[in-house]
C-alpha cells in the first residue's frame, strides 16, 4: 500500500513539473495575448506599413466625464465586387453572413490593437463598459473612405480591413471600417445616418 501511495505522489510531482515547464515555455506567448499589455506595441512590419497609410491626425484618448456609453462601430462596405474566372467580368457581390462576421472580427481586433497603443484610456473604458459593438451598412466605397477620413480628422481611432481575396470578393477590397472605441457622443454626429446591418 505504501508503494502505491509513493508511486501516486511521484506521478503527481512529475506531472506537476511537466505543467510548470510547459507554462514557463508558453509564458512569453501567453503574455503577448494579454489584453492591454505593453506586449501589443510590437506589430508586425505588414501591420506597421498598413498603419502608415491611415489618415493623418492624432487619436483622441480623453473624452471628459460624459459622452454616453463607449462603443466600437463596424461599418460594412456594401459595394463589393468579384471577378468572374470564366469571363473576367466584374460582378457586384454581397458578403455572406460568415464572411461579414469574419471581416468584422478582423476590424474589431485591428482597432483594439491600434487603440491599445494610441488611446489606451478609451480602450479601458470600453472594456469596462462591456465592449459594445454596433454593425452598420455603408452603401459605397467612396462614402466609406470619406467616413474614415472624417472620423480620423475628429480624432477617432479607425482601422480599415482589406480582404485577402481568397474566397468571396476581390483581393484588396475594403470590407469593414472599425471606428472607436469612443463615446457615442463623439461618433454619432459622423455616423448617425448609417443604417443597421
Amino acid at each position: 500500500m505504501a508503494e502505491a501511495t509513493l508511486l501516486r505522489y511521484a506521478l503527481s510531482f512529475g506531472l506537476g513539473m511537466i505543467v510548470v515547464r510547459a507554462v514557463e515555455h508558453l509564458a512569453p506567448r501567453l503574455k503577448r495575448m494579454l489584453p492591454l499589455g505593453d506586449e501589443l506595441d510590437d506589430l508586425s512590419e505588414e501591420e506597421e506599413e498598413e498603419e502608415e497609410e491611415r489618415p493623418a491626425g492624432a487619436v483622441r484618448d480623453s473624452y471628459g466625464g460624459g459622452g454616453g456609453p463607449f462603443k466600437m462601430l463596424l461599418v460594412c462596405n456594401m459595394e463589393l465586387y468579384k471577378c468572374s474566372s470564366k469571363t473576367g467580368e466584374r460582378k457586384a457581390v454581397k458578403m455572406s453572413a460568415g464572411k461579414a462576421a469574419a471581416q468584422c472580427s478582423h476590424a474589431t481586433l485591428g482597432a483594439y490593437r491600434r487603440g491599445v497603443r494610441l488611446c489606451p484610456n478609451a480602450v479601458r473604458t470600453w472594456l469596462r463598459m462591456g465592449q459594445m459593438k454596433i454593425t452598420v451598412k455603408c452603401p459605397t466605397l467612396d462614402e466609406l473612405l470619406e467616413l474614415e477620413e472624417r472620423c480620423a480628422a475628429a480624432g477617432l481611432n479607425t482601422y480599415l480591413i482589406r480582404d485577402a481575396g481568397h474566397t468571396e470578393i476581390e483581393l484588396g477590397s475594403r470590407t469593414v471600417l472599425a471606428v472607436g472605441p469612443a463615446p457615442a457622443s463623439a461618433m454619432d454626429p459622423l455616423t448617425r445616418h448609417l443604417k443597421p446591418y
Side-chain angles (χ1 to χ4, degrees):
M1 187 69 145
E3 290 175 9
T5 303
L6 185 60
L7 182 60
R8 216 176 298 133
Y9 283 130
L11 283 173
S12 295
F13 178 78
L15 286 173
M17 291 304 296
I18 291 171
V19 169
V20 167
R21 294 288 181 226
V23 169
E24 287 173 349
H25 177 72
L26 294 174
R29 291 182 191 152
L30 294 173
K31 272 184 144 180
R32 285 193 296 268
M33 295 167 53
L34 292 175
L36 293 177
D38 293 335
E39 299 80 15
L40 291 179
D41 285 345
D42 57 351
L43 296 176
S44 69
E45 285 181 28
E46 181 180 320
E47 288 171 312
E48 286 174 1
E49 288 173 15
E50 189 173 327
E51 289 289 337
E52 292 170 11
E53 298 172 17
R54 301 275 172 239
V59 174
R60 194 169 160 194
D61 192 27
S62 176
Y63 294 93
F70 275 58
K71 65 182 179 179
M72 183 180 292
L73 196 67
L74 301 165
V75 186
C76 295
N77 180 12
M78 302 309 288
E79 183 181 40
L80 296 167
Y81 299 94
K82 179 78 175 178
C83 217
S84 169
S85 57
K86 294 178 183 176
T87 63
E89 178 185 353
R90 283 181 76 196
K91 293 181 178 181
V93 294
K94 289 183 180 180
M95 285 189 282
S96 67
K99 180 71 170 178
Q103 296 298 296
C104 287
S105 297
H106 292 315
T108 300
L109 184 57
Y112 170 80
R113 289 183 68 186
R114 188 169 192 261
V116 165
R117 284 193 356 266
L118 302 177
C119 53
N121 293 326
V123 170
R124 279 188 198 92
T125 303
W126 176 68
L127 289 170
R128 274 197 310 272
M129 291 184 156
Q131 306 139 36
M132 183 190 314
K133 292 169 276 312
I134 298 172
T135 309
V136 295
K137 299 183 216 178
C138 187
T140 68
L141 176 60
D142 289 340
E143 188 176 339
L144 185 77
L145 297 175
E146 182 183 323
L147 180 64
E148 179 187 27
E149 231 173 77
R150 288 195 340 251
C151 289
L156 297 171
N157 182 38
T158 63
Y159 199 88
L160 183 61
I161 296 299
R162 289 177 184 250
D163 191 63
H166 297 303
T167 55
E168 300 178 9
I169 54 180
E170 279 185 0
L171 171 68
S173 297
R174 294 169 181 103
T175 55
V176 178
L177 170 67
V179 181
S185 62
M187 277 191 229
D188 288 349
L190 301 168
T191 61
R192 183 177 287 125
H193 66 287
L194 298 170
K195 306 283 187 235
Y197 188 84

Short mmCIF file of all heavy atoms in Angstrom, two decimals, residues 69-114:
data_model
loop_
_atom_site.label_atom_id
_atom_site.label_comp_id
_atom_site.label_asym_id
_atom_site.label_seq_id
_atom_site.Cartn_x
_atom_site.Cartn_y
_atom_site.Cartn_z
N PRO A 69 -22.31 55.92 -23.45
CA PRO A 69 -21.59 54.65 -23.48
C PRO A 69 -20.51 54.63 -24.55
O PRO A 69 -20.66 55.24 -25.60
CB PRO A 69 -22.69 53.63 -23.80
CG PRO A 69 -23.75 54.42 -24.48
CD PRO A 69 -23.69 55.80 -23.90
N PHE A 70 -19.43 53.94 -24.26
CA PHE A 70 -18.36 53.77 -25.24
C PHE A 70 -18.74 52.61 -26.15
O PHE A 70 -19.30 51.61 -25.69
CB PHE A 70 -17.03 53.48 -24.55
CG PHE A 70 -16.29 54.72 -24.13
CD1 PHE A 70 -16.88 55.65 -23.28
CD2 PHE A 70 -15.01 54.97 -24.59
CE1 PHE A 70 -16.21 56.78 -22.89
CE2 PHE A 70 -14.32 56.11 -24.20
CZ PHE A 70 -14.93 57.01 -23.35
N LYS A 71 -18.42 52.74 -27.42
CA LYS A 71 -18.76 51.69 -28.37
C LYS A 71 -17.71 51.64 -29.47
O LYS A 71 -16.88 52.54 -29.60
CB LYS A 71 -20.14 51.93 -28.98
CG LYS A 71 -20.24 53.19 -29.83
CD LYS A 71 -21.66 53.37 -30.35
CE LYS A 71 -21.81 54.64 -31.18
NZ LYS A 71 -23.17 54.80 -31.69
N MET A 72 -17.77 50.57 -30.25
CA MET A 72 -16.99 50.46 -31.47
C MET A 72 -18.00 50.27 -32.59
O MET A 72 -18.90 49.44 -32.49
CB MET A 72 -16.02 49.29 -31.42
CG MET A 72 -15.14 49.19 -32.66
SD MET A 72 -13.98 47.80 -32.60
CE MET A 72 -12.88 48.30 -31.29
N LEU A 73 -17.85 51.04 -33.64
CA LEU A 73 -18.75 50.96 -34.78
C LEU A 73 -18.05 50.17 -35.89
O LEU A 73 -16.90 50.46 -36.23
CB LEU A 73 -19.09 52.36 -35.26
CG LEU A 73 -20.29 52.48 -36.18
CD1 LEU A 73 -21.57 52.13 -35.42
CD2 LEU A 73 -20.40 53.90 -36.71
N LEU A 74 -18.73 49.19 -36.45
CA LEU A 74 -18.21 48.39 -37.55
C LEU A 74 -19.02 48.73 -38.79
O LEU A 74 -20.21 48.41 -38.87
CB LEU A 74 -18.29 46.91 -37.21
CG LEU A 74 -17.52 46.54 -35.93
CD1 LEU A 74 -17.92 45.18 -35.43
CD2 LEU A 74 -16.03 46.64 -36.15
N VAL A 75 -18.38 49.40 -39.74
CA VAL A 75 -19.06 49.91 -40.92
C VAL A 75 -18.75 48.98 -42.09
O VAL A 75 -17.61 48.91 -42.57
CB VAL A 75 -18.60 51.35 -41.24
CG1 VAL A 75 -19.42 51.92 -42.39
CG2 VAL A 75 -18.72 52.24 -39.99
N CYS A 76 -19.76 48.25 -42.57
CA CYS A 76 -19.57 47.27 -43.64
C CYS A 76 -19.80 47.91 -45.00
O CYS A 76 -20.85 48.52 -45.24
CB CYS A 76 -20.54 46.11 -43.46
SG CYS A 76 -20.22 45.15 -41.99
N ASN A 77 -18.83 47.75 -45.89
CA ASN A 77 -18.93 48.25 -47.26
C ASN A 77 -19.91 47.36 -48.04
O ASN A 77 -19.73 46.15 -48.12
CB ASN A 77 -17.55 48.23 -47.91
CG ASN A 77 -17.55 48.72 -49.34
OD1 ASN A 77 -18.52 49.29 -49.81
ND2 ASN A 77 -16.44 48.50 -50.01
N MET A 78 -20.92 47.97 -48.64
CA MET A 78 -21.92 47.20 -49.38
C MET A 78 -21.62 47.20 -50.89
O MET A 78 -22.35 46.58 -51.66
CB MET A 78 -23.32 47.77 -49.13
CG MET A 78 -23.72 47.79 -47.65
SD MET A 78 -23.51 46.21 -46.81
CE MET A 78 -24.84 45.29 -47.53
N GLU A 79 -20.56 47.89 -51.30
CA GLU A 79 -20.19 47.95 -52.73
C GLU A 79 -18.95 47.08 -52.95
O GLU A 79 -17.82 47.55 -52.89
CB GLU A 79 -19.91 49.41 -53.13
CG GLU A 79 -19.60 49.58 -54.59
CD GLU A 79 -19.29 51.03 -54.93
OE1 GLU A 79 -18.62 51.74 -54.16
OE2 GLU A 79 -19.73 51.45 -56.01
N LEU A 80 -19.17 45.80 -53.18
CA LEU A 80 -18.07 44.84 -53.34
C LEU A 80 -18.20 44.12 -54.66
O LEU A 80 -19.31 43.94 -55.19
CB LEU A 80 -18.09 43.83 -52.19
CG LEU A 80 -17.84 44.42 -50.80
CD1 LEU A 80 -18.18 43.40 -49.73
CD2 LEU A 80 -16.42 44.91 -50.66
N TYR A 81 -17.05 43.66 -55.19
CA TYR A 81 -17.03 43.00 -56.49
C TYR A 81 -16.18 41.75 -56.45
O TYR A 81 -15.31 41.60 -55.62
CB TYR A 81 -16.46 43.96 -57.56
CG TYR A 81 -17.29 45.20 -57.72
CD1 TYR A 81 -16.98 46.36 -57.03
CD2 TYR A 81 -18.40 45.20 -58.56
CE1 TYR A 81 -17.74 47.50 -57.16
CE2 TYR A 81 -19.18 46.34 -58.70
CZ TYR A 81 -18.85 47.48 -58.00
OH TYR A 81 -19.62 48.60 -58.14
N LYS A 82 -16.46 40.88 -57.40
CA LYS A 82 -15.66 39.67 -57.61
C LYS A 82 -15.49 39.48 -59.10
O LYS A 82 -16.44 39.64 -59.87
CB LYS A 82 -16.38 38.44 -57.01
CG LYS A 82 -15.66 37.12 -57.19
CD LYS A 82 -14.53 36.97 -56.22
CE LYS A 82 -13.89 35.61 -56.32
NZ LYS A 82 -12.77 35.44 -55.44
N CYS A 83 -14.29 39.17 -59.52
CA CYS A 83 -14.00 38.96 -60.94
C CYS A 83 -14.38 37.52 -61.31
O CYS A 83 -13.96 36.57 -60.65
CB CYS A 83 -12.52 39.20 -61.19
SG CYS A 83 -12.18 39.98 -62.75
N SER A 84 -15.15 37.35 -62.37
CA SER A 84 -15.54 36.02 -62.83
C SER A 84 -14.32 35.31 -63.41
O SER A 84 -13.60 35.87 -64.23
CB SER A 84 -16.64 36.14 -63.90
OG SER A 84 -16.84 34.90 -64.52
N SER A 85 -14.09 34.09 -63.00
CA SER A 85 -12.94 33.33 -63.50
C SER A 85 -13.14 32.91 -64.96
O SER A 85 -12.18 32.67 -65.69
CB SER A 85 -12.68 32.11 -62.63
OG SER A 85 -13.83 31.30 -62.58
N LYS A 86 -14.38 32.82 -65.40
CA LYS A 86 -14.66 32.39 -66.77
C LYS A 86 -14.59 33.55 -67.76
O LYS A 86 -13.95 33.45 -68.79
CB LYS A 86 -16.04 31.74 -66.84
CG LYS A 86 -16.14 30.45 -66.07
CD LYS A 86 -17.53 29.87 -66.14
CE LYS A 86 -17.61 28.62 -65.28
NZ LYS A 86 -18.95 28.08 -65.24
N THR A 87 -15.28 34.64 -67.44
CA THR A 87 -15.38 35.74 -68.40
C THR A 87 -14.46 36.91 -68.07
O THR A 87 -14.24 37.77 -68.92
CB THR A 87 -16.82 36.29 -68.44
OG1 THR A 87 -17.16 36.83 -67.16
CG2 THR A 87 -17.81 35.19 -68.82
N GLY A 88 -13.94 36.97 -66.85
CA GLY A 88 -13.11 38.10 -66.44
C GLY A 88 -13.92 39.34 -66.09
O GLY A 88 -13.37 40.39 -65.79
N GLU A 89 -15.23 39.20 -66.12
CA GLU A 89 -16.13 40.31 -65.84
C GLU A 89 -16.26 40.53 -64.33
O GLU A 89 -16.32 39.57 -63.56
CB GLU A 89 -17.49 39.97 -66.45
CG GLU A 89 -18.56 40.99 -66.21
CD GLU A 89 -19.91 40.52 -66.75
OE1 GLU A 89 -19.97 39.47 -67.41
OE2 GLU A 89 -20.89 41.22 -66.48
N ARG A 90 -16.32 41.80 -63.92
CA ARG A 90 -16.52 42.13 -62.50
C ARG A 90 -18.00 42.10 -62.19
O ARG A 90 -18.80 42.74 -62.86
CB ARG A 90 -15.97 43.52 -62.18
CG ARG A 90 -14.47 43.54 -62.07
CD ARG A 90 -13.98 44.92 -61.73
NE ARG A 90 -14.24 45.21 -60.33
CZ ARG A 90 -14.21 46.42 -59.80
NH1 ARG A 90 -13.96 47.47 -60.55
NH2 ARG A 90 -14.44 46.60 -58.52
N LYS A 91 -18.36 41.36 -61.15
CA LYS A 91 -19.75 41.27 -60.74
C LYS A 91 -19.90 41.83 -59.34
O LYS A 91 -19.05 41.61 -58.47
CB LYS A 91 -20.20 39.80 -60.70
CG LYS A 91 -20.28 39.12 -62.03
CD LYS A 91 -20.76 37.69 -61.82
CE LYS A 91 -20.92 36.97 -63.13
NZ LYS A 91 -21.41 35.60 -62.92
N ALA A 92 -21.00 42.54 -59.10
CA ALA A 92 -21.31 43.02 -57.76
C ALA A 92 -21.71 41.82 -56.90
O ALA A 92 -22.45 40.95 -57.35
CB ALA A 92 -22.44 44.03 -57.80
N VAL A 93 -21.16 41.75 -55.70
CA VAL A 93 -21.46 40.64 -54.78
C VAL A 93 -21.74 41.18 -53.39
O VAL A 93 -21.38 42.31 -53.06
CB VAL A 93 -20.29 39.62 -54.71
CG1 VAL A 93 -20.11 38.90 -56.03
CG2 VAL A 93 -19.01 40.27 -54.27
N LYS A 94 -22.38 40.34 -52.58
CA LYS A 94 -22.60 40.66 -51.18
C LYS A 94 -21.82 39.66 -50.35
O LYS A 94 -21.68 38.50 -50.73
CB LYS A 94 -24.08 40.53 -50.82
CG LYS A 94 -24.96 41.60 -51.40
CD LYS A 94 -26.39 41.43 -50.92
CE LYS A 94 -27.27 42.51 -51.50
NZ LYS A 94 -28.65 42.37 -51.06
N MET A 95 -21.32 40.11 -49.22
CA MET A 95 -20.64 39.18 -48.31
C MET A 95 -21.68 38.28 -47.66
O MET A 95 -22.76 38.74 -47.30
CB MET A 95 -19.93 39.96 -47.19
CG MET A 95 -18.66 40.64 -47.59
SD MET A 95 -17.75 41.30 -46.16
CE MET A 95 -18.67 42.79 -45.82
N SER A 96 -21.35 37.01 -47.54
CA SER A 96 -22.22 36.10 -46.79
C SER A 96 -22.16 36.50 -45.32
O SER A 96 -21.29 37.26 -44.90
CB SER A 96 -21.75 34.66 -46.96
OG SER A 96 -20.49 34.49 -46.33
N ALA A 97 -23.07 35.96 -44.54
CA ALA A 97 -23.09 36.28 -43.10
C ALA A 97 -21.77 35.87 -42.44
O ALA A 97 -21.22 36.61 -41.61
CB ALA A 97 -24.26 35.57 -42.43
N GLY A 98 -21.26 34.71 -42.80
CA GLY A 98 -20.00 34.25 -42.22
C GLY A 98 -18.82 35.12 -42.60
O GLY A 98 -17.95 35.41 -41.79
N LYS A 99 -18.79 35.54 -43.87
CA LYS A 99 -17.72 36.41 -44.35
C LYS A 99 -17.79 37.76 -43.64
O LYS A 99 -16.76 38.30 -43.21
CB LYS A 99 -17.85 36.60 -45.87
CG LYS A 99 -16.79 37.49 -46.47
CD LYS A 99 -15.45 36.81 -46.47
CE LYS A 99 -14.45 37.59 -47.31
NZ LYS A 99 -13.14 36.96 -47.25
N ALA A 100 -18.99 38.32 -43.50
CA ALA A 100 -19.16 39.60 -42.81
C ALA A 100 -18.71 39.49 -41.36
O ALA A 100 -18.04 40.38 -40.83
CB ALA A 100 -20.61 40.06 -42.90
N ALA A 101 -19.05 38.38 -40.72
CA ALA A 101 -18.64 38.16 -39.33
C ALA A 101 -17.13 38.09 -39.20
O ALA A 101 -16.53 38.70 -38.30
CB ALA A 101 -19.27 36.88 -38.78
N ALA A 102 -16.48 37.40 -40.12
CA ALA A 102 -15.02 37.29 -40.10
C ALA A 102 -14.37 38.66 -40.33
O ALA A 102 -13.42 39.03 -39.63
CB ALA A 102 -14.55 36.30 -41.16
N GLN A 103 -14.89 39.41 -41.29
CA GLN A 103 -14.32 40.73 -41.58
C GLN A 103 -14.53 41.69 -40.41
O GLN A 103 -13.64 42.47 -40.07
CB GLN A 103 -14.93 41.31 -42.86
CG GLN A 103 -14.64 40.51 -44.11
CD GLN A 103 -13.15 40.44 -44.41
OE1 GLN A 103 -12.51 41.44 -44.68
NE2 GLN A 103 -12.58 39.24 -44.35
N CYS A 104 -15.69 41.63 -39.77
CA CYS A 104 -15.94 42.46 -38.59
C CYS A 104 -15.02 42.06 -37.44
O CYS A 104 -14.55 42.92 -36.68
CB CYS A 104 -17.40 42.36 -38.16
SG CYS A 104 -18.53 43.25 -39.26
N SER A 105 -14.74 40.78 -37.32
CA SER A 105 -13.81 40.31 -36.29
C SER A 105 -12.41 40.85 -36.54
O SER A 105 -11.74 41.31 -35.61
CB SER A 105 -13.78 38.78 -36.24
OG SER A 105 -15.03 38.28 -35.90
N HIS A 106 -11.95 40.81 -37.78
CA HIS A 106 -10.65 41.37 -38.13
C HIS A 106 -10.60 42.86 -37.79
O HIS A 106 -9.62 43.35 -37.23
CB HIS A 106 -10.35 41.20 -39.62
CG HIS A 106 -10.13 39.79 -40.06
ND1 HIS A 106 -9.34 38.89 -39.38
CD2 HIS A 106 -10.60 39.12 -41.14
CE1 HIS A 106 -9.33 37.73 -40.02
NE2 HIS A 106 -10.08 37.84 -41.08
N ALA A 107 -11.66 43.58 -38.13
CA ALA A 107 -11.71 45.02 -37.89
C ALA A 107 -11.70 45.33 -36.39
O ALA A 107 -11.01 46.25 -35.94
CB ALA A 107 -12.94 45.62 -38.56
N THR A 108 -12.46 44.56 -35.62
CA THR A 108 -12.51 44.76 -34.18
C THR A 108 -11.14 44.56 -33.56
O THR A 108 -10.67 45.39 -32.78
CB THR A 108 -13.52 43.78 -33.53
OG1 THR A 108 -14.81 44.04 -34.07
CG2 THR A 108 -13.56 43.94 -32.02
N LEU A 109 -10.49 43.47 -33.93
CA LEU A 109 -9.17 43.18 -33.38
C LEU A 109 -8.16 44.24 -33.80
O LEU A 109 -7.34 44.69 -33.00
CB LEU A 109 -8.71 41.79 -33.80
CG LEU A 109 -7.39 41.31 -33.21
CD1 LEU A 109 -7.43 41.33 -31.69
CD2 LEU A 109 -7.07 39.92 -33.72
N GLY A 110 -8.20 44.65 -35.06
CA GLY A 110 -7.27 45.68 -35.53
C GLY A 110 -7.46 47.00 -34.81
O GLY A 110 -6.50 47.65 -34.39
N ALA A 111 -8.72 47.42 -34.64
CA ALA A 111 -8.99 48.68 -33.94
C ALA A 111 -8.60 48.58 -32.46
O ALA A 111 -8.07 49.53 -31.88
CB ALA A 111 -10.46 49.05 -34.07
N TYR A 112 -8.84 47.41 -31.87
CA TYR A 112 -8.46 47.19 -30.48
C TYR A 112 -6.94 47.31 -30.32
O TYR A 112 -6.45 48.03 -29.45
CB TYR A 112 -8.95 45.83 -30.01
CG TYR A 112 -8.39 45.42 -28.66
CD1 TYR A 112 -8.93 45.93 -27.49
CD2 TYR A 112 -7.31 44.55 -28.57
CE1 TYR A 112 -8.41 45.58 -26.25
CE2 TYR A 112 -6.80 44.19 -27.34
CZ TYR A 112 -7.35 44.71 -26.19
OH TYR A 112 -6.82 44.36 -24.97
N ARG A 113 -6.21 46.60 -31.16
CA ARG A 113 -4.74 46.63 -31.05
C ARG A 113 -4.18 48.03 -31.29
O ARG A 113 -3.28 48.47 -30.60
CB ARG A 113 -4.12 45.63 -32.04
CG ARG A 113 -4.36 44.19 -31.63
CD ARG A 113 -3.71 43.23 -32.54
NE ARG A 113 -2.26 43.35 -32.40
CZ ARG A 113 -1.38 42.72 -33.15
NH1 ARG A 113 -1.81 41.93 -34.12
NH2 ARG A 113 -0.10 42.86 -32.97
N ARG A 114 -4.74 48.73 -32.26
CA ARG A 114 -4.30 50.10 -32.54
C ARG A 114 -4.69 51.01 -31.37
O ARG A 114 -3.92 51.87 -30.95
CB ARG A 114 -4.93 50.58 -33.84
CG ARG A 114 -4.40 51.90 -34.32
CD ARG A 114 -4.87 52.17 -35.75
NE ARG A 114 -4.15 53.29 -36.31
CZ ARG A 114 -4.64 54.53 -36.36
NH1 ARG A 114 -5.84 54.79 -35.90
NH2 ARG A 114 -3.91 55.50 -36.87
#
